[in-house]
Amino acid sequence: MDIFFEQYFDFDVMRENFSDVLDAFWTTIQLALISGVLALLLGLILALLRAAPGRRMLPVRGLAIAYIDLFRGVPLLLVVLLISGSFPFLDFLPEWLRAPDMLGKPDIFWYGVLSIALTYGAYYAEVYRAGLEAVPLGQSEAAHSLGMSHTVALRHVIVPQAIRKVIPPMLNDFIALMKDTSLVQVIGVVEVVKAGREVQAETFNSSALTLAAVLFVLVTIPLARIVDRQISRQQMLTQRGVL
Amino acid sequence: MTEAVIRLEGVHKRFGDLHVLRGIDLVVPAGSVVCVIGPSGSGKSTLLRCINLLEPIDSGRVVFEGKDITTSSRKELEVVRRGIGMVFQQFNLFPHKSVIENVSLAQRTVLKRSAEEARARSESMLERVGLSDKLEEYPERLSGGQQQRVAIARALAMDPHVMLFDEVTSALDPELIKEVLDVMRELANEGMTMIVVTHEIGFARDVANDVVFMDEGVIVEKGPVRRVIDAPREQRTKRFLGLVLEH
C-alpha cells in the first residue's frame, strides 16, 4: 500500500513542483474563462439565428443548424489540430486571427481558445434554444400585441427570461468546458495537465497530476454547488409561477 | 353612420384539419362595445386573435379603420397593432419587469416616448386602474385581479383605438372578477371601442351594445344586447343561454 501513496501522494514531489503546477492551472483558468465567454456569445447568436422567423430567414436557420450539428459531432481535439496546424498558412485570414498574440499570450493559446469556443458555442446554442422554447408563448404574443418587433420582443422580453432559465445548465457545461481545456496541451499549451505530465515523465511519479486533479476539484465542486442552489431556487420560483 | 373601426369579411381560419372560423362577418363601429359569447371551442378567442393577426387568416379580409390589413407585412402589422390593445386570459405580464416597467416598455421601445413621458403616462394609466400603490412591485406579488388590471393599463398606455379582451376574467378567483369588470365598464363609459370575449353574461347585458353568439366557428346570432340575450331567436342561442343563466 505504501507504493500507492508514494506514487500518487508524494508530498515532496507536490511541494517541489507546486508553483509550476499552479502557474499552469492559472493558464487553464484563463483558457476556460476566455473561451467560455466567447462560447456564451457565439451560442446566443447561433440560437437566435436558428429561431429567426419567416421564410426569408430559412437559409440562415439552415446554416445555424448545420454549424451546430457539425461542431457537436466533431471531437474538440480534432478541431484543435485542424486550427493550429493550418491557420498560420491561411494568408487570407487577418493577422490577428492567423497569428494571434493578444494579451501577451502565444498563438497556440489563442488557437486553443478559438477551438474550445467554436465547439462549446454549438453546445451552448442548444442550451439557449431550450431556454428560449421554455418561455411561454403568451410572452411573445403580449409583446407583439403591443406592436413590438421580433427583435425588440427578443431583446426585452424573451431573452432575459430565457437566460434566467439556462444559468444552471450553462454552469454545468462550463464545468465540462473547463475539463476539456486539457486537450489543448497537444499543441504545446502548458496547462495544468501538461505541467503534471512533465513532472510525471521526469520523476516517474504521478503526484503532480494528483495535485492537478485536486485543483480542478477545488474549482468544480463550488460550481456544482452553485448549480444545485440555482436549480432549487428556480424550482421554487417556477412553483410560484414567476419563471 | 359612424365609421367601423374593425370590419371582418368572410374570415376563415383552419388549424390543420380543424376549421375553426367558417366565414365570419362582423362590423364594430367606433365607440361600441361588442361582446362575443358562446361555448368553449366555438372559435371566440381565435376570432379575437385574428383581428390583430396574432393568427394569420386563411381567407377573407380584416379591415382596421378602413384599411385592409390582411396581407400587411410584418413592419406594417407592428404599426397596426399599436392601435389595437389586447388583454389576455393569462395576463401575460412580463415577470422579470416591475409593474411600471411592464406598462412603460412598449411606450419606450415602440412609440419611442422619453423615459419621463412614458413614466408619466404609465402612472396615470395605473392610477386609472387603481394601482398607484403598486408601481415598483413585481407581477408575482400581485393578485390575479391586480395583474389583469396592470395588463389593461399596459394596453391602454399605447393609446389604442380599440381594445380586445380575451376571456380576461376566466382565470380569476370569483372575488377578483368585479375589480376587473369595473375597470372595463368604466372604459366602455368613456367611449372606448371594445370587443370582449366573455362568459360574463351579466357584464354583456350591462355594458354591450351588440352581442355576438358563436358556435362551431360561425356567428349564429348577432344584434343589440336586449334582443340576443333576452329574446334570442336561434335554438342554439337559447340552449346556451339557458345553460349559462341557470346556475
Side-chain angles (χ1 to χ4, degrees):
Chain A
M1 211 50 195
D2 281 354
I3 191 71
F4 176 85
F5 282 101
E6 199 189 308
Q7 270 299 314
Y8 292 113
F9 297 96
D10 186 326
F11 292 113
D12 288 335
V13 172
M14 289 191 191
R15 203 175 308 119
E16 275 165 32
N17 298 286
F18 186 76
S19 72
D20 284 349
V21 173
L22 199 64
D23 279 351
F25 190 61
W26 175 231
T27 302
T28 296
I29 297 282
Q30 287 174 313
L31 275 171
L33 286 179
I34 298 174
S35 56
V37 169
L38 292 176
L40 280 175
L41 290 173
L42 176 63
L44 182 59
I45 292 167
L46 286 168
L48 292 177
L49 292 178
R50 185 177 185 156
R55 194 168 306 166
R56 258 191 324 175
M57 297 301 270
L58 191 68
V60 173
R61 288 198 292 273
L63 281 175
I65 291 170
Y67 178 94
I68 293 165
D69 285 351
L70 184 67
F71 277 88
R72 281 200 309 170
V74 176
L76 173 56
L77 180 56
L78 213 155
V79 177
V80 170
L81 294 171
L82 285 174
I83 288 184
S84 66
S86 290
F87 262 40
F89 304 116
L90 300 181
D91 51 14
F92 57 85
L93 288 178
E95 181 73 13
W96 64 266
L97 191 56
R98 192 160 57 84
D101 61 350
M102 284 88 80
L103 307 176
K105 294 280 179 194
D107 53 359
I108 45 173
F109 176 89
W110 292 109
Y111 293 145
V113 163
L114 184 62
S115 309
I116 298 169
L118 290 175
T119 302
Y120 272 83
Y123 285 108
Y124 281 160
E126 289 298 278
V127 179
Y128 279 119
R129 175 163 78 125
L132 290 170
E133 285 173 359
V135 176
L137 190 61
Q139 291 292 309
S140 60
E141 288 187 346
H144 290 306
S145 79
L146 290 161
M148 288 184 207
S149 67
H150 181 73
T151 317
V152 170
L154 275 179
R155 175 159 163 228
H156 294 281
V157 178
I158 309 299
V159 171
Q161 294 185 59
I163 286 180
R164 271 160 230 231
K165 286 173 197 285
V166 299
I167 291 173
M170 287 292 179
L171 284 172
N172 258 335
D173 276 1
F174 182 72
I175 292 174
L177 180 151
M178 199 178 135
K179 294 189 294 178
D180 273 356
T181 56
S182 59
L183 291 171
V184 173
Q185 64 170 285
V186 298
I187 55 173
V189 179
V190 183
E191 46 66 65
V192 70
V193 178
K194 168 105 168 165
R197 260 185 77 195
E198 283 172 356
V199 176
Q200 189 187 39
E202 279 168 26
T203 62
F204 301 103
N205 183 296
S206 299
S207 299
L209 281 169
T210 307
L211 181 60
V214 169
L215 290 172
F216 267 113
V217 166
L218 280 178
V219 174
T220 53
I221 286 182
L223 272 175
R225 289 291 85 76
I226 293 172
V227 173
D228 290 348
R229 255 224 320 275
Q230 282 278 338
I231 289 175
S232 60
R233 202 179 83 93
Q234 285 202 351
Q235 271 166 354
M236 186 193 74
L237 291 175
T238 309
Q239 279 152 8
R240 287 162 64 199
V242 185
L243 271 170
Chain B
M1 190 193 147
T2 43
E3 184 208 349
V5 179
I6 301 282
R7 199 165 73 237
L8 304 182
E9 296 171 5
V11 170
H12 283 263
K13 174 70 187 176
R14 287 182 186 79
F15 291 114
D17 289 340
L18 206 61
H19 199 166
V20 188
L21 297 180
R22 305 163 178 250
I24 300 288
D25 297 298
L26 184 67
V27 176
V28 181
S32 70
V33 176
V34 175
C35 281
V36 183
I37 60 172
S40 26
S42 58
K44 313 182 293 285
S45 288
T46 306
L47 168 68
L48 210 59
R49 296 159 57 83
C50 285
I51 291 175
N52 63 359
L53 293 164
L54 273 185
E55 298 289 355
I57 64 173
D58 293 315
S59 61
R61 295 193 334 138
V62 180
V63 182
F64 173 63
E65 297 185 328
K67 182 172 174 282
D68 187 343
I69 60 170
T70 320
T71 54
S72 301
S73 69
R74 204 190 296 275
K75 278 272 159 257
E76 289 165 337
L77 262 187
E78 284 161 19
V79 177
V80 167
R81 286 181 181 143
R82 295 175 197 172
I84 305 177
M86 188 165 194
V87 186
F88 301 85
Q89 182 175 348
Q90 298 298 339
F91 329 135
N92 295 346
L93 293 182
F94 307 134
H96 58 302
K97 302 223 171 260
S98 68
V99 165
I100 187 98
E101 288 167 345
N102 261 278
V103 182
S104 300
L105 180 60
Q107 298 182 63
R108 301 272 286 122
T109 56
V110 177
L111 301 180
K112 310 289 180 201
R113 285 180 184 156
S114 69
E116 303 76 43
E117 199 185 350
R119 184 167 179 100
R121 183 87 182 123
S122 300
E123 282 176 358
S124 94
M125 286 302 110
L126 286 163
E127 188 184 345
R128 189 164 164 187
V129 299
L131 290 172
S132 293
D133 54 336
K134 303 287 184 193
L135 300 185
E136 308 301 334
E137 289 286 10
Y138 280 79
E140 52 154 336
R141 311 248 308 167
L142 303 180
S143 73
Q146 290 169 333
Q147 290 193 48
Q148 198 56 295
R149 285 185 281 149
V150 174
I152 294 173
R154 179 174 71 176
L156 287 177
M158 303 296 285
D159 301 318
H161 299 179
V162 55
M163 286 283 286
L164 312 177
F165 292 89
D166 187 9
E167 302 198 27
V168 294
T169 56
S170 297
L172 296 179
D173 292 334
E175 75 273 19
L176 302 177
I177 291 177
K178 186 174 177 297
E179 65 190 52
V180 173
L181 292 183
D182 284 348
V183 168
M184 291 165 65
R185 195 169 276 133
E186 199 178 307
L187 204 55
N189 289 338
E190 289 166 15
M192 174 64 78
T193 310
M194 294 163 52
I195 306 176
V196 184
V197 170
T198 187
H199 292 293
E200 305 288 335
I201 305 295
F203 175 82
R205 184 183 279 151
D206 286 356
V207 179
N209 302 103
D210 287 313
V211 169
V212 170
F213 173 70
M214 280 185 74
D215 194 15
E216 296 181 342
V218 295
I219 291 179
V220 176
E221 192 163 358
K222 65 183 162 193
V225 60
R226 294 280 155 220
R227 217 206 27 68
V228 177
I229 290 187
D230 296 331
R233 287 174 195 163
E234 301 288 331
Q235 274 307 319
R236 277 194 281 182
T237 320
K238 284 180 193 167
R239 202 178 323 125
F240 175 75
L241 286 171
L243 288 171
V244 189
L245 295 174
E246 238 168 46
H247 68 257

